[in-house]
Amino acid sequence: MILAGIIKLLLPLPAVWRTVSRFCNFMMYCWCEGLALLLHLNPYLKWEVQGLSGLNKKSWYLLICNHHSWADIVVLCVLFRKHIPMNKYFLKQQLAWVPFIGLACWALDMPFMRRYSRNYLLRHPERRGKDVETTRRSCEKFRHQPTTIVNFVEGSRFTEEKQRQLHSPFMHLLPPKAAGIAMTLNVLGKQFDKMLDVTLCYPENNRTPFYDMLSGKLTRIVVQIDLLPVEASLYGDYVNDKNFKRRFQQWLNGLWNEKDARLEALYQHYKKAGQ
């Protein structure tokens, strides 16, 4: 993957980039198959999945999901590898500069997102809107081949400490950040066939699911998938249109309220089942 990134960097030609991208997607698929095999070796692991039917590898999807653990990426890769185009994850801009990892992610066409804090924007108002423009440029490349863009809209993994710091109104989620998904829809909205709203939890390994996955102690993965239409009301200028921004945030918060209630029901169900 790193070699492919070097080739892509040294030969910035459209034909070369397309060939490298196809090769990288194939390598990522092989990686996902390897992960699936490793998870299959855990005899205690049970999958409970709803809503996987009706998907197509030749379609464009926007996938949004709650973010609980590093295990989430593994689960999404393994679960969807044969059902939708290879996942492209929104990554923090800082990862682009991590040796080897950044180059590999760039070769895989992972979109990088740069977020500025409120305090930074107060000191540097000229940077306002630059993070959104970065999102726009990242998404343009996906117009030419079926793609699944994955956005963990909370922007960070859920922890109780972050929940307190952000004064989250949700029991099991952080507040969603709307700008990235809004810009993605604005750039590629008409090209997306559907939106996948994924609710993911590890009801029996809620504290350390990634460690439990690595150590073979993960016992249950629950995934619920809602296939949503990409409605015209979701397209708009999130940066400059305040009315659209407010409506979009209300829509996303509504999804998050439903997701939070669903997670609470799942945790309560398995808590009672374990008693």
Side-chain angles (χ1 to χ4, degrees):
M1 203 72 72
I2 295 171
L3 179 60
I6 294 173
I7 294 173
K8 191 174 177 181
L9 187 64
L10 295 177
L11 298 172
L13 303 172
V16 173
W17 281 34
R18 286 193 295 269
T19 302
V20 170
S21 293
R22 285 195 294 269
F23 170 76
C24 289
N25 283 334
F26 173 73
M27 293 303 295
M28 187 171 180
Y29 174 80
C30 293
W31 179 71
C32 293
E33 285 290 343
L35 292 175
L37 176 61
L38 290 175
L39 291 181
H40 184 70
L41 295 176
N42 179 357
Y44 308 107
L45 179 59
K46 297 181 178 65
W47 290 77
E48 295 186 11
V49 180
Q50 297 178 11
L52 200 56
S53 60
L55 303 179
N56 190 330
K57 288 185 74 71
K58 295 183 178 181
S59 298
W60 275 261
Y61 295 103
L62 175 61
L63 190 157
I64 60 174
C65 184
N66 59 300
H67 196 12
H68 186 80
S69 163
W70 284 108
D72 301 346
I73 294 176
V74 176
V75 169
L76 294 179
C77 284
V78 169
L79 180 63
F80 288 108
R81 70 192 189 282
K82 295 183 179 180
H83 299 278
I84 60 178
M86 196 54 59
N87 296 344
K88 305 294 182 185
Y89 294 88
F90 269 105
L91 303 175
K92 294 179 180 179
Q93 183 71 28
Q94 294 90 327
L95 282 175
W97 307 109
V98 176
F100 306 116
I101 294 176
L103 185 61
C105 291
W106 180 72
L108 284 163
D109 292 324
M110 299 293 180
F112 290 96
M113 177 179 289
R114 173 176 291 171
R115 287 194 176 99
Y116 299 110
S117 68
R118 185 186 299 271
N119 290 334
Y120 180 87
L121 290 175
L122 288 174
R123 296 195 306 270
H124 303 277
E126 73 280 0
R127 305 301 296 177
R128 190 175 299 276
K130 293 293 184 182
D131 51 348
V132 179
E133 183 58 31
T134 300
T135 304
R136 179 186 295 276
R137 289 198 304 269
S138 295
C139 291
E140 286 288 350
K141 71 184 78 170
F142 300 127
R143 288 186 179 277
H144 308 296
Q145 61 180 355
T147 303
T148 302
I149 297 181
V150 181
N151 195 327
F152 293 113
V153 294
E154 293 161 292
S156 181
R157 285 169 288 131
F158 175 88
T159 66
E160 292 181 357
E161 182 180 356
K162 292 175 185 176
Q163 183 187 34
R164 289 192 298 270
Q165 289 175 349
L166 296 172
H167 305 290
S168 175
F170 308 106
M171 291 180 288
H172 307 288
L173 301 167
L174 300 180
K177 297 181 179 180
I181 181 178
M183 276 305 304
T184 304
L185 284 166
N186 194 32
V187 175
L188 291 175
K190 295 180 180 178
Q191 202 149 358
F192 285 124
D193 295 290
K194 293 289 183 180
M195 182 184 301
L196 302 179
D197 179 17
V198 178
T199 303
L200 174 61
C201 75
Y202 314 90
E204 297 168 358
N205 305 81
N206 191 40
R207 291 193 175 276
T208 56
F210 187 56
Y211 173 79
D212 292 342
M213 177 182 283
L214 294 177
S215 58
K217 297 177 182 178
L218 189 63
T219 56
R220 193 180 302 273
I221 300 171
V222 179
V223 186
Q224 296 186 355
I225 306 157
D226 290 323
L227 200 60
L228 306 178
V230 183
E231 299 174 347
S233 60
L234 298 178
Y235 314 148
D237 187 347
Y238 187 84
V239 177
N240 299 307
D241 187 339
K242 292 184 178 180
N243 289 329
F244 171 76
K245 181 177 181 178
R246 183 169 56 252
R247 290 196 306 271
F248 193 90
Q249 289 175 338
Q250 289 173 347
W251 167 80
L252 187 56
N253 283 325
L255 283 185
W256 239 237
N257 276 314
E258 294 174 9
K259 190 181 296 291
D260 197 46
R262 180 176 296 185
L263 285 168
E264 174 64 14
L266 286 169
Y267 286 126
Q268 290 299 326
H269 170 76
Y270 287 103
K271 183 179 180 180
K272 291 178 181 178
Q275 290 177 348

